[in-house]
Structures are given as C-alpha cells and as structure tokens.
Amino acid sequence: MRVLGVDPGLTRCGVGVVEGVAGRPLTMLGVGVVRTPADAELGQRLVAVEQGIERWLDEHRPEFVAVERVFSQHNVRTVMGTAQASAVAMLCAARRGIPVALHTPSEVKAAVTGSGRADKAQVGAMVTRLLRLDAPPKPADAADALALAICHIWRAPAQNRLQQAAALHATRAPAARRSPLPSKGRTS
C-alpha cells in the first residue's frame, strides 16, 4: 500500500509518502513541504498548495491519501487556513479517484507512539525509528505527514473490515424492516 500523508497548512503543508503493509517494515518514498508566502493573496496560496500536492500525486502515484482531520483550535484564523489546505488536498485526491482518509491528531500520535498525547518530538523520533531514517524529518510538518501515512497503513485493514461489516449490516437490516410482522386478531 502506498499512502501520501498530508499535514495541511497554508504556510507549510507537510507531505510524505510511505509504502508498506501493517506488520512489515515500512519504506519512506519521499518527504517534503509545500510552502506558500504568508503575504500572498489567499487564492494564490491555495493554488500553490494545489499545484504542490498535484506534483506529489504525479510523482508518487499513491493508492490512498491520508489527511489530518481539522480540529477546533482557539485561533480561528489558523484553523481556517488548515481547513482550506485540507480541502485542497481532498479535492486533488478526489479528482483522481484516490480514496481519502481523515485521521485526528490524537489517532496519529497513538498509532505511531502509543500515546495520543505525544508531543512533536516524540512523533518525529518514532517516525525516524519506524522508517529507519538517519534523522527526524524537518520541519515537524514533514514528520507529521509521514506519521499520517504510517497511521493509515496500520489502521486501514481494521477500518476496511469495520466498513465491510457495517455495509453488510446495512444491506441486511432493510430486509428485516420490510418483512411485516403477523397481526394478531385482525382480519381484512
């Protein structure tokens, strides 16, 4: 499985590609950051993020894209930029028919470090170890993108089984609801 992880942001959008399967050593295929100038107009910044992500999709041809789920922050301006960059990443993947998975920061931290409250240094150290790198990727946005890809590779099999079970249940449940119960004591 080849996954492009995206740590969305307007100034620095972390991107990282990891290949492998759960239970086996993983391989980093690329890591970097799509940067936009803070003083540029919002529309231009979003186009720059789109172009950067499109280049990563062209170069690495991932089977999945894992994006950090935007969560509420106290700084509304920051969360808006993050949400906009996240939407651009999802749009780029959807345009190509690539499935997108959203993972919360605590899910990613728990998957990679064992603790949903790990700090950035711990995430970077574990990404370095798991991918057998010489040093943690810099900046932290790049390490976070790799952590997202790792999280998806490790969690996707279980998520797929849950989705299949839910789909099976959904197809059986309507049939059970449609079958009329016999009425007692009523005649037509």
Side-chain angles (χ1 to χ4, degrees):
M1 174 184 310
R2 183 177 291 189
V3 180
L4 170 66
V6 179
D7 182 37
L10 272 181
T11 304
R12 287 183 322 270
C13 182
V15 286
V17 181
V18 177
E19 189 169 64
V21 295
R24 301 267 173 114
L26 303 173
T27 303
M28 180 189 76
L29 301 179
V31 65
V33 177
V34 175
R35 295 179 188 274
T36 69
D39 60 347
E41 190 266 327
L42 175 62
Q44 293 172 334
R45 294 178 81 185
L46 293 172
V47 168
V49 170
E50 177 200 25
Q51 291 170 342
I53 291 172
E54 289 288 351
R55 281 191 299 273
W56 279 83
L57 292 170
D58 285 342
E59 182 177 345
H60 295 284
R61 306 270 183 220
E63 300 165 77
F64 298 92
V65 173
V67 180
E68 183 176 272
R69 183 183 298 274
V70 178
F71 63 99
S72 178
Q73 296 175 338
H74 298 295
N75 186 341
V76 174
R77 186 172 171 202
T78 300
V79 79
M80 287 301 294
T82 302
Q84 290 162 335
S86 176
V88 167
M90 290 186 281
L91 174 69
C92 290
R95 194 180 301 150
R96 293 170 182 244
I98 302 171
V100 176
L102 300 174
H103 299 282
T104 66
S106 59
E107 285 174 340
V108 175
K109 292 174 185 179
V112 174
T113 70
S115 170
R117 294 183 173 191
D119 62 25
K120 290 215 178 264
Q122 290 170 310
V123 171
M126 284 306 296
V127 164
T128 302
R129 182 174 174 204
L130 292 168
L131 297 175
R132 300 168 313 283
L133 305 175
D134 294 332
K138 299 284 183 192
D141 309 275
D144 289 348
L146 291 171
L148 276 151
I150 292 167
C151 173
H152 186 72
I153 289 169
W154 286 353
R155 290 184 171 227
Q159 288 175 336
N160 289 342
R161 286 191 299 273
L162 286 172
Q163 288 172 347
Q164 289 170 352
L168 181 62
H169 177 72
T171 59
R172 290 182 179 172
R177 286 191 294 263
R178 283 193 302 264
S179 60
L181 295 175
S183 57
K184 294 183 180 179
R186 291 194 340 193
T187 58
S188 308

